[in-house]
């Protein structure tokens, strides 16, 4: 264990795919990989300095043109009499050809689909087929696309979003869910009453036609009067003579009405409010 070198499995898979040998160096020893460090500094100072680009595709196009132009025409560090492009042309016949298929570099994340047909990745929700809910799926993400797979089957493919809390949906997934709901519940909504009572549709149609031809009824004035309060007989109620007096409680004790009596009597013309005079006490206490 101790000083043993443990390579990452993905690095070993990439080395086997492109047929090269990884060589480890000591930690924090820049002098052991001077060529790599110098190449990074050269690229940072000569390519990225004061460069503008809109997106990653434009940056890659500019990098390709720079590698074939100024970077290739500079003198070779090991032989200043020749350029880098000349040295590469001389070595290219002895190099191995690249594989036909590139090594997969997609970000792989296992996600759990809940009850809704969405999976969450990178703070956004991506739609999936409705029959793949409540399962563990795999998200394969590139800088521009997101694929959702289950084993070898590709369930969904979306354009990657870098927003937060967005819902990226495929219209075919939503339409399939609607069709499934309609097939499972054919009488849901407005057709439920017609399925239960076949004559209801015709009756409602006739009522609608009659309502369209007949004039609208005038609104009628409605009055509201509360039920008379129950009292022990100690309340001084000022109300019209034809208004019934409060009923009497049969059990002794305190009055069942709150301390301040508010007995509202209303009609179409006026509102009369009577209240118990302050300071009076129940005679039945």
């Amino acid at each position: 264990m101790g000083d043993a070198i443990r390579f990452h499995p993905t690095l070993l898979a990439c080395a086997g795919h492109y047929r090269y040998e990884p060589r480890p160096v000591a930690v924090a020893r820049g002098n052991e990989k001077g060529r790599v460090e110098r190449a990074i500094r050269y690229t940072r100072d000569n390519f990225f300095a004061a460069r503008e680009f809109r997106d990653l595709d434009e940056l890659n196009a500019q990098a390709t043109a720079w590698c074939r132009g100024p970077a290739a025409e500079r003198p070779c560090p090991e032989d200043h009499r020749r350029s880098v492009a000349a040295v590469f042309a001389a070595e290219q016949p002895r190099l191995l050809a690249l594989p036909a298929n590139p090594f997969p570099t997609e970000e792989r994340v296992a996600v759990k689909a809940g009850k809704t047909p969405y999976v969450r990745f990178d703070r956004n929700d991506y739609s999936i087929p409705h029959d793949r809910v409540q399962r563990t799926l795999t998200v394969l993400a590139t800088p521009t696309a997101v694929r959702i797979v289950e084993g070898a089957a590709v369930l969904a493919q979306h354009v990657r979003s870098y927003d937060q809390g967005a819902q990226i949906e495929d219209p075919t997934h939503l339409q399939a869910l609607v069709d499934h709901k309609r097939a499972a519940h054919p009488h849901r909504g407005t057709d439920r009453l017609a399925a239960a009572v076949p004559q209801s549709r015709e009756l409602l149609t006739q009522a609608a036609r009659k309502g369209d031809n007949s004039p609208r009824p005038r609104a009628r004035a409605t009055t509201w009067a509360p039920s008379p309060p129950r009292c022990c007989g100690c309340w001084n109620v000022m109300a019209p003579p034809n208004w019934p007096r409060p009923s009497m409680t049969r059990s002794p004790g305190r009055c069942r009405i709150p301390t301040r009596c508010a007995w509202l009597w209303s009609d179409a013309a006026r509102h009369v409010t009577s209240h118990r005079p302050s300071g009076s006490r129940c005679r039945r206490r």
Side-chain angles (χ1 to χ4, degrees):
M1 299 295 291
D3 297 335
I5 303 300
R6 295 184 295 274
F7 290 103
H8 195 278
T10 305
L11 174 62
L12 296 179
C14 182
H17 184 82
Y18 289 110
R19 291 178 290 181
Y20 69 89
E21 179 186 359
R23 295 180 181 178
V25 296
V27 179
R29 295 290 181 87
N31 60 325
E32 296 185 6
K33 51 183 186 299
R35 290 185 177 182
V36 177
E37 298 291 343
R38 186 63 180 175
I40 293 175
R41 180 178 179 181
Y42 174 78
T43 304
R44 183 177 63 247
D45 296 343
N46 294 272
F47 174 73
F48 281 103
R51 184 170 297 273
E52 297 180 356
F53 53 90
R54 293 188 301 269
D55 50 20
L56 187 60
D57 294 336
E58 182 180 358
L59 177 62
N60 289 331
Q62 294 182 15
T64 301
W66 179 78
C67 290
R68 294 177 179 177
E73 298 300 329
R74 76 183 191 278
C76 181
E78 297 181 356
D79 189 357
H80 294 279
R81 296 172 301 176
R82 297 187 298 174
S83 63
V84 173
V87 175
F88 178 74
E91 294 181 354
Q92 189 172 12
R94 296 190 292 270
L95 299 177
L96 297 175
L98 292 175
N101 55 328
F103 181 76
T105 57
E106 299 172 322
E107 183 179 358
R108 180 183 294 265
V109 179
V111 294
K112 175 66 175 179
K115 296 182 180 180
T116 58
Y118 294 92
V119 294
R120 178 166 288 260
F121 170 72
D122 196 17
R123 299 180 295 180
N124 295 307
D125 295 331
Y126 296 86
S127 66
I128 59 174
H130 66 276
D131 56 351
R132 292 296 188 272
V133 296
Q134 295 184 342
R135 299 186 181 184
T136 300
L137 307 176
T138 303
V139 171
L140 303 177
T142 66
T144 58
V146 171
R147 292 190 303 154
I148 304 170
V149 301
E150 184 180 20
V154 179
L155 304 181
Q157 186 170 357
H158 303 275
V159 177
R160 184 167 183 175
S161 174
Y162 290 93
D163 295 334
Q164 182 176 358
Q167 280 190 343
I168 298 88
E169 300 172 337
D170 188 345
T172 58
H173 296 162
L174 303 182
Q175 186 61 38
L177 178 59
V178 172
D179 296 341
H180 173 73
K181 292 294 185 180
R182 289 177 177 175
H185 304 281
H187 305 305
R188 172 171 291 181
T190 58
D191 295 336
R192 180 179 298 179
L193 181 59
V197 183
Q199 295 82 2
S200 62
R201 183 182 296 275
E202 183 178 357
L203 294 176
L204 293 176
T205 303
Q206 294 178 1
R209 292 176 180 175
K210 184 178 180 181
D212 293 340
N213 297 330
S214 61
R216 295 183 179 179
R218 298 179 61 185
R220 298 180 179 179
T222 59
T223 59
W224 172 86
S227 59
R230 299 180 61 84
C231 179
C232 62
C234 63
W235 303 98
N236 296 322
V237 179
M238 297 187 303
N242 58 351
W243 186 261
R245 305 300 296 177
S247 59
M248 305 291 292
T249 57
R250 301 300 181 183
S251 60
R254 298 188 61 181
C255 211
R256 298 185 183 179
I257 305 177
T259 305
R260 184 169 294 276
C261 174
W263 185 16
L264 178 64
W265 174 81
S266 66
D267 58 7
R270 60 176 181 171
H271 297 276
V272 178
T273 304
S274 62
H275 63 277
R276 176 185 177 182
S278 60
S280 59
R281 294 180 176 274
C282 185
R283 300 176 182 178
R284 299 280 304 269
R285 282 183 66 176

